[in-house]
Amino acid sequence: MKFLIFAFFGGAHLLSLCSGKAIYKNGISKRTFQEIKEEIASYGDVAKAIINLAVYGKAQNRSYERLALLVDTVGPRLSGSKNLEKAIQIMYQNLQQDGLENVHLEPVRIPHWERGEESAVMLEPRIHKIAILGLGSSIGTPPEGITAEVLVVTSFDELQRRASEARGKIVVYNQPYINYSRTVQYRTQGAVEAAKVGAVASLIRSVASLSIYSPHTGIQEYQDGVPKIPTACITVEDAEMMSRMASRGIKIVIQLKMGAKTYPDTDSFNTVAEITGSKYPEQVVLVSGHLDSWDVGQGAMDDGGGAFISWEALSLIKDLGLRPKRTLRLVLWTAEEQGGVGAFQYYQLHKVNISNYSLVMESDTGTFLPTGLQFTGSEKARAIMEEVMSLLQPLNITQVLSHGEGTDINFWIQAGVPGASLLDDLYKYFFFHHSHGDTMTVMDPKQMNVAAAVWAVVSYVVADMEEMLPRS
């Protein structure tokens, strides 16, 4: 019964606000910040209703169970794969069956790369099979593979200092893990830098904060005018072992075989569903996650969780009988892992309406226990978001931090639209990121419930406030 009571309060709140007077003049708000604070504070009952339904009520564990069904049925969802397109069709049906509005697929073109069969064996100083995962967009080796001596380096600077030693060798990077944003440059640029000094292949220590002999894949980028060489990630353990061997002056020889191949771009879709706005349907609050993943594990954490709490946000709002003034639009992106390919094409299609986007939101750093919201926007918009997050005091999740960017929403943020990303406990995230370990075992239904509640409260309140978020 308490959920029905909360829903009643939410409906009454909605009606009272919809009958309010116009508050813009020449595009500038005429309200004081105190008036905006009071408006946001009046959403307290609605926020409690969402929290109760998501965390304690009939919707608890729903996002987890929905996600488990998809990833157990389909598996990983690499750009260009049949698995990804099967997942898109399943989600199209799911969103329709959930009673969401304007469910449709927006066609895009995406990359199609397959890793094929791959192996690496250390032949000297002893026989040792090396666990590898080819990096996205890498070329393959000749059928007989590449057999070459190894040069181990710990940085690009060391590679440059020892450039004369690199020609004809396989460069192994054993860079220390500092943090993801600083260390990932070795994965994305390692092959190019090795090729510049004449290497025949590169193997990169996985960008991971912890390893149990787990290679971690990801995208890498070639550069025009630089020879393309095969590249793969190896485990932290093997990178460190070869570094120790090299420091003793021991010769290391590896045979690398990779069947990787890039095919012509293929058709795919961004998956869209909405709750249409009651008063300003042309204005949009966008919530999102990406449906694609790498081809290992199940893609549960990256980014099944983010996609499914975004769906759950709309489900919770619909289940409570709420309809915000602005349209709440769910987008499940395709080909994020290849550099936000689907999202860029969405932006190109919809940027003509950029003035109508109040907030763009993306969850793509896991759905562990949330600690707050990352936000990028004007100081006035940040102050408003701080008030919105105060509605989540019952969950003790009220922080608003900087850096709301995300791969799929950066196009909008760079053009001035306020953007937000879910911030959660990242301690374990890079244990499993882009590895065979990214499975449902990583996911926690209770933490997903809380993440969905945060996502739903923020998106609903921003979509229902009388004014759009102010821009710079």
Side-chain angles (χ1 to χ4, degrees):
M1 285 297 294
K2 65 181 177 181
F3 305 116
L4 293 176
I5 292 170
F6 280 131
F8 171 78
F9 284 139
H13 177 81
L14 185 65
L15 289 172
S16 67
L17 283 180
C18 282
S19 60
K21 61 184 180 181
I23 53 179
Y24 276 103
K25 184 176 181 181
N26 298 326
I28 300 173
S29 172
K30 308 308 290 184
R31 295 196 303 172
T32 66
F33 185 65
Q34 182 60 35
E35 290 173 322
I36 295 172
K37 284 180 66 172
E38 290 170 1
E39 179 191 4
I40 295 170
S42 71
Y43 285 96
D45 288 327
V46 175
K48 290 175 184 175
I50 291 170
I51 291 167
N52 281 328
L53 179 59
V55 180
Y56 310 110
K58 66 179 182 179
Q60 63 179 314
N61 302 347
R62 180 169 62 185
S63 59
Y64 174 93
E65 291 163 0
R66 285 170 163 176
L67 175 60
L69 179 59
L70 180 81
V71 302
D72 290 346
T73 300
V74 176
R77 302 166 302 282
L78 182 65
S79 175
S81 69
K82 291 181 180 179
N83 280 14
L84 175 57
E85 298 317 306
K86 181 178 180 181
I88 290 169
Q89 294 302 323
I90 289 173
M91 287 307 302
Y92 175 67
Q93 295 170 5
N94 287 344
L95 297 173
Q96 288 181 313
Q97 292 168 3
D98 195 33
L100 298 176
E101 298 160 351
N102 194 23
V103 178
H104 64 281
L105 301 177
E106 297 190 0
V108 293
R109 297 284 289 175
I110 63 171
H112 180 192
W113 171 87
E114 296 180 7
R115 71 174 60 256
E117 295 294 322
E118 54 188 18
S119 66
V121 180
M122 185 169 70
L123 302 177
E124 297 181 34
R126 62 180 175 86
I127 301 296
H128 169 62
K129 185 176 180 181
I130 297 171
I132 67 167
L133 283 174
L135 296 177
S137 80
S138 175
I139 64 169
T141 65
E144 68 277 12
I146 293 172
T147 301
E149 190 176 342
V150 164
L151 172 67
V152 182
V153 297
T154 58
S155 67
F156 290 140
D157 287 343
E158 182 182 358
L159 179 64
Q160 291 305 312
R161 290 197 304 269
R162 303 179 65 187
S164 62
E165 302 174 53
R167 182 162 301 279
K169 292 182 180 176
I170 296 173
V171 169
V172 170
Y173 291 96
N174 182 40
Q175 76 286 346
Y177 181 85
I178 301 170
N179 56 45
Y180 184 75
S181 60
R182 288 183 62 181
T183 312
V184 74
Q185 63 179 320
Y186 288 91
R187 191 193 75 206
T188 56
Q189 303 169 33
V192 165
E193 295 305 315
K196 287 178 180 177
V197 292
V200 293
S202 63
L203 298 173
I204 291 89
R205 168 176 162 155
S206 288
V207 184
S209 54
L210 179 141
S211 177
I212 50 170
Y213 202 70
S214 51
H216 297 243
T217 190
I219 199 68
Q220 67 87 37
E221 299 168 358
Y222 290 125
Q223 184 176 310
D224 289 343
V226 178
K228 295 180 179 181
I229 60 174
T231 184
C233 60
I234 59 175
T235 68
V236 171
E237 292 87 343
D238 279 339
E240 291 186 340
M241 178 185 70
M242 286 188 276
S243 183
R244 292 192 301 271
M245 288 176 169
S247 70
R248 300 176 191 131
I250 296 172
K251 180 181 177 181
I252 305 167
V253 176
I254 286 177
Q255 182 185 63
L256 176 68
K257 291 184 178 181
M258 294 175 58
K261 187 174 180 181
T262 296
Y263 297 88
D265 287 358
T266 189
D267 294 325
S268 187
F269 303 92
N270 291 317
T271 308
V272 182
E274 296 178 343
I275 296 176
T276 306
S278 63
K279 187 174 182 181
Y280 309 115
E282 74 285 357
Q283 296 177 5
V284 175
V285 168
L286 184 149
V287 293
S288 68
H290 66 86
L291 198 54
D292 67 298
S293 72
W294 285 102
D295 55 336
V296 290
Q298 291 183 301
M301 181 190 75
D302 184 16
D303 181 35
F308 274 66
I309 67 160
S310 296
W311 173 18
E312 183 68 12
L314 270 67
S315 291
L316 292 166
I317 292 162
K318 176 185 65 68
D319 290 350
L320 287 168
L322 300 170
R323 183 177 292 276
K325 295 182 184 69
R326 279 171 207 87
T327 294
L328 260 180
R329 180 174 297 162
L330 166 68
V331 183
L332 305 179
W333 310 109
T334 188
E336 183 275 344
E337 296 290 4
Q338 284 62 44
V341 175
F344 176 70
Q345 291 172 71
Y346 176 91
Y347 175 72
Q348 292 296 107
L349 181 65
H350 294 276
K351 66 181 179 181
V352 63
N353 297 314
I354 195 167
S355 63
N356 282 326
Y357 280 71
S358 181
L359 178 67
V360 289
M361 302 167 59
E362 178 174 23
S363 173
D364 188 22
T365 52
T367 48
F368 299 110
L369 188 65
T371 57
L373 193 75
Q374 292 177 281
F375 179 76
T376 297
S378 68
E379 285 305 309
K380 289 181 180 179
R382 174 177 295 277
I384 291 170
M385 294 304 293
E386 288 172 351
E387 295 302 316
V388 172
M389 287 299 290
S390 71
L391 297 169
L392 290 153
Q393 183 59 51
L395 294 173
N396 195 30
I397 302 168
T398 59
Q399 290 188 98
V400 177
L401 295 96
S402 57
H403 305 300
E405 291 81 5
T407 299
D408 295 307
I409 58 174
N410 280 348
F411 311 108
W412 299 92
I413 293 173
Q414 290 164 5
V417 178
S421 294
L422 184 69
L423 179 65
D424 61 319
D425 182 359
L426 288 176
Y427 173 69
K428 296 190 295 183
Y429 185 77
F430 292 106
F431 295 3
F432 309 107
H433 182 249
H434 295 181
S435 78
H436 288 286
D438 182 355
T439 69
M440 282 305 298
T441 301
V442 177
M443 311 303 287
D444 183 317
K446 291 183 173 60
Q447 293 178 352
M448 287 188 72
N449 295 340
V450 176
V454 172
W455 221 221
V457 169
V458 172
S459 60
Y460 175 75
V461 173
V462 175
D464 195 56
M465 291 174 62
E466 188 60 36
E467 297 180 0
M468 290 176 63
L469 290 177
R471 301 188 187 180
S472 300

